[in-house]
Amino acid sequence: MADEVVVLDFWASPFAMRVKLALSEKGITYECKPQDLLNKGPLLLQANPVHKKIPVLIHNGRSICESLIIVRYIDEVWTHVSPLLPSDPYQRSQALFWADYIEKQVYDLGKRVYVAQEDQAEAKEKLIQCLKTLETELGDKPYFGGDGIGFVDVALLPFTTWFYTYERSGNFSIQESCPKLIAWVERCRQKQSVSDALPHPHKIYDFYLLFKEALGVK
């Protein structure tokens, strides 16, 4: 009997992109059910009654919530191809550390940049420093996972779809400050699993402009 895999998502959410990227990297067929986040329906509320947020992975009728937990679940269930976390305990601990760093830093700093309030300049500086730290961790490896996409790549890549929006909103260049990191993004984008799972950054920026217009923000 084939696995039934459903993802409750919203296309522009980097957290939902993580789940789709992990499934794509593993070659798992899934059904995507987009959710209206302004009018949450019974499926989402039943699948994630605690946080009432996307993404949710529904695997054979059972719900798994929180993007990094879902990615780890995917890696542990479908072990036959493209392992995302290292088998070595120390290397695994390091991957989990950097994924946690990304979780706690990138989204909040990026949001502070594109919301463009009084602390935008400070947020830009901190975001660049954060990305430089990640660039140092990448080093000369082709991917954070080494020779292939790993857990840290899956954690960070979806946020790169928002880099263009950060740059346009804050009038700065990530490329100038973090050229190796942008080279990593471009290298990843050449992989079919990544291009299938992640929208183009310009599409994200168009969404951001429409969202601002709907809120009456200039």
Side-chain angles (χ1 to χ4, degrees):
M1 181 178 177
D3 284 326
E4 181 185 13
V5 182
V6 176
V7 178
L8 308 187
D9 88 322
F10 178 69
W11 72 270
S13 164
F15 302 103
M17 291 178 211
R18 284 173 171 171
V19 177
K20 292 182 285 188
L21 176 55
L23 290 169
S24 181
E25 185 68 13
K26 293 278 188 178
I28 304 302
T29 300
Y30 63 94
E31 178 186 2
C32 195
K33 292 189 176 181
Q35 301 297 299
D36 181 351
L37 302 185
L38 298 179
N39 184 26
K40 298 175 182 179
L43 178 60
L44 176 59
L45 297 178
Q46 181 179 5
N48 189 356
V50 176
H51 296 302
K52 304 175 178 64
K53 295 179 179 179
I54 55 98
V56 179
L57 178 74
I58 304 176
H59 180 211
N60 294 333
R62 298 188 298 181
S63 301
I64 303 94
C65 305
E66 297 297 303
S67 64
L68 290 180
I69 293 174
I70 296 171
V71 172
R72 190 167 182 175
Y73 175 88
I74 290 168
D75 196 40
E76 292 175 353
V77 170
W78 290 283
T79 58
H80 64 289
V81 66
S82 301
L84 300 175
L85 277 165
S87 57
D88 177 78
Y90 175 76
Q91 292 180 356
R92 177 184 290 253
S93 75
Q94 297 308 292
L96 293 172
F97 170 85
W98 286 109
D100 183 66
Y101 177 81
I102 292 163
E103 186 81 347
K104 291 175 178 175
Q105 298 290 328
V106 177
Y107 174 74
D108 179 63
L109 290 172
K111 184 176 181 180
R112 285 166 58 190
V113 171
Y114 71 70
V115 168
Q117 293 183 343
E118 293 79 7
D119 66 344
Q120 187 188 56
E122 178 189 4
K124 282 195 296 183
E125 182 178 346
K126 288 184 176 180
L127 177 62
I128 288 296
Q129 186 56 55
C130 170
L131 296 178
K132 283 183 175 180
T133 299
L134 290 166
E135 186 177 62
T136 299
E137 170 58 21
L138 176 64
D140 294 324
K141 302 188 297 290
Y143 306 99
F144 285 94
D147 293 331
I149 283 182
F151 195 76
V152 180
D153 299 277
V154 172
L156 180 58
L157 266 171
F159 291 103
T160 68
T161 66
W162 281 82
F163 278 8
Y164 182 70
T165 299
Y166 302 161
E167 292 173 321
R168 291 295 299 269
S169 303
N171 191 28
F172 71 113
S173 170
I174 295 173
Q175 168 81 47
E176 289 181 3
S177 300
C178 306
K180 285 189 175 182
L181 193 67
I182 296 304
W184 162 78
V185 174
E186 293 172 352
R187 186 161 50 248
C188 291
R189 282 263 173 194
Q190 295 174 7
K191 292 178 68 70
Q192 190 65 45
S193 59
V194 176
S195 61
D196 287 345
L198 304 187
H200 194 282
H202 289 184
K203 186 178 179 182
I204 293 289
Y205 183 63
D206 289 342
F207 162 76
Y208 161 75
L209 293 178
L210 288 173
F211 185 70
K212 276 184 65 178
E213 183 180 353
L215 293 177
V217 177
K218 296 183 179 180

